[in-house]
Amino acid sequence: MMEEHLKEKVKSVFGKNADKYVTSDIHAKGDDLPLLAEWLEPQKTWVVLDIATGGGHVSKALAPHAGTVISTDLTEAMLENTARHLKEEYDNILYVIADAESLPFLPESFDAAVCRIAPHHFPHPEKFIRETARVLKTGGKFILIDNVAPEENEWALFMNATEKLRDTSHARCLSKNEWRQLLQENNLKEIQSLDRKKTFQYPAWVRRTAESEEQVRRVEKHLLGADAAVQEYFQIDVENGEVRTFVIDEWMVMAQK
């Protein structure tokens, strides 16, 4: 029941905020997007799976390089909004409502798969990785990009508490070591990775999913109340008693089946 509640919450939050994810700078202009085609080296014969597309930025980045992109999302309203933005420019993107933890595709269907800034919403990341491995062809490549928790447990708890306070559809950010274990367990061999720091502009970030000013204040109080070591790690920048920016870890990894 808890899992279904969380997935319904994801649909609700993302359905209401669909257009914000199309225009969000963090999602639309990330330094990682140009790297997708560079790392994957897709061919015009390829069928590529975009898991939990959100605003469609992965599909948009790969459509010029692949034969077909299957753009999926759990949230129908989100997918419909993304399709409206992309359909006129790209005729090789197909849109499928799909749960990342139960993909509606046959085994060995895709030459490549990508999931970007979404897995922290998945209740069971182990199912997501297992499903991704299942639908990839042997030799197929998979790129995972997501916010990752520090290996230090106290800091990981703080990061996930921050995300959950701001977005009730948040499940959990895993650490790099946790992701690596899941990849290994599903015969996905890591071949390339990149660490980067990602800066959030706090006012825009918190209001993308917060449902009230009271919720905004709760998140800010949580950040301001962090101890010195946590404030230093997440580079929480405060001006006139208000949070302006803070920084989290993001990991991009490519694995091959």
Side-chain angles (χ1 to χ4, degrees):
M1 284 296 293
M2 192 67 185
E3 175 186 341
E4 287 307 312
H5 173 74
L6 184 56
K7 290 184 180 182
E8 288 303 316
K9 193 67 185 178
V10 168
K11 291 179 186 179
S12 172
V13 168
F14 284 92
K16 287 186 292 188
N17 297 289
D19 214 52
K20 294 179 185 177
Y21 282 86
V22 172
T23 57
S24 158
D25 280 353
I26 285 286
H27 294 81
K29 299 179 182 178
D31 298 339
D32 54 331
L33 286 170
L35 294 177
L36 293 174
E38 183 181 320
W39 283 24
L40 288 172
E41 299 179 323
Q43 301 172 21
K44 286 294 187 180
T45 56
W46 279 20
V47 180
V48 177
L49 177 63
D50 179 6
I51 302 170
T53 189
H57 308 297
V58 167
S59 294
K60 183 177 180 179
L62 291 177
H65 307 281
T68 304
V69 176
I70 307 297
S71 187
T72 69
D73 205 276
L74 179 67
T75 306
E76 184 173 358
M78 174 73 84
L79 201 59
E80 286 178 345
N81 188 66
T82 294
R84 278 195 296 273
H85 283 272
L86 297 182
K87 273 184 174 177
E88 288 188 15
E89 191 172 352
Y90 304 99
D91 60 5
N92 64 333
I93 303 176
L94 302 177
Y95 305 89
V96 178
I97 300 166
D99 184 338
E101 297 178 358
S102 182
L103 294 169
F105 305 107
L106 295 174
E108 303 258 338
S109 292
F110 297 95
D111 299 282
V114 179
C115 188
R116 176 179 183 260
I117 323 180
H120 56 272
H121 292 285
F122 303 161
H124 297 289
E126 72 282 359
K127 292 182 181 179
F128 150 61
I129 295 296
R130 185 168 66 240
E131 280 291 275
T132 302
R134 181 183 66 81
V135 302
L136 268 181
K137 295 177 182 176
T138 300
K141 297 175 182 176
F142 167 48
I143 290 181
L144 167 72
I145 303 166
D146 203 15
N147 310 330
V148 289
E151 299 299 335
E152 170 63 50
N153 187 55
E154 181 184 346
W155 297 351
L157 290 171
F158 179 86
M159 178 184 179
N160 278 301
T162 303
E163 289 277 11
K164 192 72 176 178
L165 281 170
R166 168 255 187 178
D167 179 2
T168 52
S169 71
H170 177 79
R172 187 168 74 91
C173 291
L174 275 65
S175 69
K176 289 193 297 182
N177 283 341
E178 288 177 298
W179 280 124
R180 283 189 164 117
Q181 183 175 344
L182 290 177
L183 293 172
Q184 290 169 5
E185 288 172 356
N186 288 278
N187 298 314
L188 293 168
K189 183 181 179 182
E190 181 181 334
I191 54 177
Q192 193 168 356
S193 69
L194 176 68
D195 294 293
R196 74 179 186 124
K197 295 287 186 177
K198 187 161 67 175
T199 300
F200 286 137
Q201 301 297 322
Y202 177 78
W205 172 82
V206 73
R207 285 181 170 82
R208 192 153 55 237
T209 54
E211 297 173 349
S212 68
E213 286 302 309
E214 181 187 357
Q215 187 177 359
V216 170
R217 287 192 294 272
R218 282 201 305 271
V219 180
E220 188 164 50
K221 182 179 179 182
H222 173 71
L223 289 169
L224 292 172
D227 65 34
V230 170
Q231 294 223 15
E232 182 180 359
Y233 184 86
F234 292 103
Q235 299 175 45
I236 301 171
D237 180 42
V238 180
E239 187 177 309
N240 298 323
E242 296 181 345
V243 177
R244 306 312 302 166
T245 62
F246 70 103
V247 177
I248 65 164
D249 298 313
E250 185 181 77
W251 192 46
M252 178 173 181
V253 60
M254 182 165 68
Q256 189 167 30
K257 181 176 175 180

